[in-house]
Amino acid sequence: MQDLDEFTVTDAALAQMANTADPRLRQIMDAAVRHLHAFAREVNLTPAEWLGGIRFLTEVGHACTPIRQEFILLSDVLGLSAVVNALHDKTALENGTQSSLLGPFFREHAPEFALGDCIVAEPGAPEIVLHGQVTDAHGVPIPGATIGVWQTDAAGQYDLQAHDHETMDMRGNFTCDAHGKYHFRTVRPLGYSIPLDGPVGAMVQRQGRHGMRPAHIHFLIAAPGFRELVTALYFGDDDNIASDTVFGVSNSLVVQFAASDPDNPIPGLRSVRYDFQLGHARADGDGRVGADPASLVAAE
Ligand code: BEZ
Ligand code: FE
């Protein structure tokens, strides 16, 4: 037996978990317990605050549905998702385009489009064109790479917010041509607020944060033998470009409309050109930081 105090209880908990058969689970839980205990000691956590935290996490869980993942949102606003993304990028075999958050609005089974199509059913704003090439890390084109895109409309709403929950709009999948080239039409998305009507939004507001994401278009790019790329392009003229609530913006992902663009595949439309680079896949698999919310809750 030992005298339990706020320090020895940490040793006791670690000792009880020491027989965990899975070494990685043991490593993760060991560190989690050490950091959790140290956190409680550092802030001198009171019973009321402990209960407040339990209540908050309970509300976060209750807010999760097949179309809303409040835990991922919590991870995003705390910067944890961005940290995991950055760690994940460091495991790549080759340096490709930087990754960015998948976010909670990604959906599986988006419609298939032909190159040049518009992903917006009723644009209601001037069309723009996005174009470029998908290559390997050395600039060699990847024919037939697939590109999934999703974005808000010109008013800053995803399809899930602007329409009913079944309608898919402002999103779609493309297949690059024999030279790895892609182009599609869309509207310039508007920056938007993360959902503020749940427990995570309430926390963000209590922290005096604006809750905005700068205007962006998400991309999920894949090709056999290559590491899947989850990223986004951010419009540099957005007022919140330097204060993204979920820490997804990095300099290499900031784009501007071209002043002149001799390669514009649809002359007359304002264009953004961006070339993506994919690293080769690892033999042991690469993983994805994020998921369609529907895949994380049991069917109701
Ligand atoms: C998004 O870009 O779709 C997003 C990412 C994190 C939180 C909210 C939205
Ligand atoms: Fe987004």
Side-chain angles (χ1 to χ4, degrees), residues 134-246:
V134 178
T135 70
D136 71 9
H138 309 287
V140 178
I142 305 179
T146 58
I147 299 191
V149 296
W150 65 105
Q151 65 167 81
T152 54
D153 60 18
Q157 289 200 309
Y158 281 96
D159 49 6
L160 289 165
Q161 301 161 317
H163 307 302
D164 59 68
H165 294 160
E166 270 75 50
T167 305
M168 295 236 190
D169 196 5
M170 289 96 65
R171 65 178 75 231
N173 298 323
F174 294 87
T175 302
C176 292
D177 69 13
H179 307 286
K181 293 200 169 173
Y182 74 91
H183 72 287
F184 65 91
R185 287 174 293 132
T186 182
V187 296
R188 189 214 142 103
L190 194 66
Y192 59 89
S193 168
I194 63 157
L196 291 177
D197 58 343
V200 173
M203 181 192 78
V204 163
Q205 285 171 303
R206 277 190 72 181
Q207 292 171 331
R209 298 161 69 179
H210 56 53
M212 297 295 290
R213 294 218 71 201
H216 58 275
I217 301 177
H218 295 270
F219 288 82
L220 194 157
I221 305 182
F226 290 91
R227 181 181 174 92
E228 179 185 80
L229 173 67
V230 175
T231 194
L233 299 181
Y234 296 88
F235 287 81
D237 58 357
D238 192 293
D239 286 348
N240 299 307
I241 193 73
S243 58
D244 181 11
T245 304
V246 296

Side-chain angles (χ1 to χ4, degrees), residues 26-27 49 94 97 129 132 138-139 158 225 231:
R26 177 177 171 190
Q27 181 190 18
E49 290 159 349
E94 297 163 311
T97 300
V129 59
H138 309 287
Y158 281 96
T231 194

